[in-house]
Amino acid sequence: MESLVEPVAQTALCIAEVDTGHADLGESEPMRPLPQLRHQQLPVEVMTLTHAEILETRTLIWPDEAACAAHAAALAKRPSLRDAFIELRGALGAGKTTFVRHLLRALGVPGRIKSPTYTVLEPYALPGLPVSHFDFYRFEDAREWEDAGFREVFAAPGLKLAEWPQKAEALLPVPDLRVQLEALDDTQRRVTLQALSPRGLELMR
Ligand SMILES: Nc1ncnc2c1ncn2[C@@H]1O[C@H](COP(=O)(O)OP(=O)(O)OP(=O)(O)O)[C@@H](O)[C@H]1O
Ligand SMILES: [Mg+2]
């Protein structure tokens, strides 16, 4: 089983090698070493990574945070957001949490919206719309996936948003939409959108 799984993980690694700007990710290496996670017994979800085909890519510029908020507000209106899984990639401070905050606010989340940097998951029970905001930056142990019930979260209906998906890549399903943020200066962001499913295409358009 191991020998079957390993090449799959390698393939997924090549597909996912889009992040820049953080030493942890070994961005200067075209093929970063496999994280420890990949050498453990991998669940069947990893097999879906072989089919992670990018259906469409779009690049846009947010000149400032207001543009980020406007994009998030527009996305919040899409019915197909309901059960979507959206990955947010980019270096520390690129704007992943900021985008999610604007999105959650537009969806009706009141009060302070915490970053899940320390908790890994912040859940929201909006009327008719469960939302799970993950930040896998500190996620290191694959057992935590089961222990914390993340498998059930991903199997259940609801919107899933994940920062630092690279840190749990072998466990995560293929996203509908991948959002890659790159800071060009203090306020300007280059945004690369990749649709990996028909739902992702709907969200991107
Ligand atoms: N156009 C923009 N879009 C998003 N954020 C912006 C923009 N311009 C400035 N910012 C600022 O950049 C910062 C982004 O921080 P944020 O916590 O969202 O980053 P992050 O990508 O989630 O980082 P981390 O990897 O640490 O979780 C915020 O202070 C935000 O106000
Ligand atoms: Mg963040």
Side-chain angles (χ1 to χ4, degrees), residues 65-181:
E65 194 177 322
C68 167
H71 191 122
L75 187 64
K77 293 193 180 120
R78 298 299 183 92
S80 44
L81 191 68
R82 176 169 296 272
D83 290 323
F85 170 31
I86 301 178
E87 273 187 5
L88 296 123
R89 293 176 177 245
L92 294 168
K96 302 177 293 295
T97 303
T98 302
F99 178 66
V100 171
R101 282 197 177 114
H102 286 299
L103 180 63
L104 293 174
R105 189 69 79 214
L107 287 170
V109 174
R112 182 164 170 263
I113 297 172
K114 286 194 288 177
S115 169
T117 308
Y118 295 98
T119 53
V120 183
L121 169 63
E122 288 291 338
Y124 299 89
L126 291 169
L129 178 66
V131 182
S132 303
H133 178 196
F134 292 91
D135 184 337
F136 289 109
Y137 189 72
R138 290 170 174 272
F139 182 86
E140 300 217 321
D141 186 349
R143 280 170 305 185
E144 191 185 342
W145 181 264
E146 300 293 341
D147 296 349
F150 295 161
R151 177 190 290 274
E152 285 74 21
V153 172
F154 274 92
L159 170 62
K160 293 101 188 166
L161 305 156
E163 299 181 42
W164 292 102
Q166 308 91 311
K167 301 278 186 160
E169 200 162 57
L171 297 161
L172 287 169
V174 175
D176 297 297
L177 187 66
R178 186 173 286 152
V179 180
Q180 169 83 31
L181 300 178

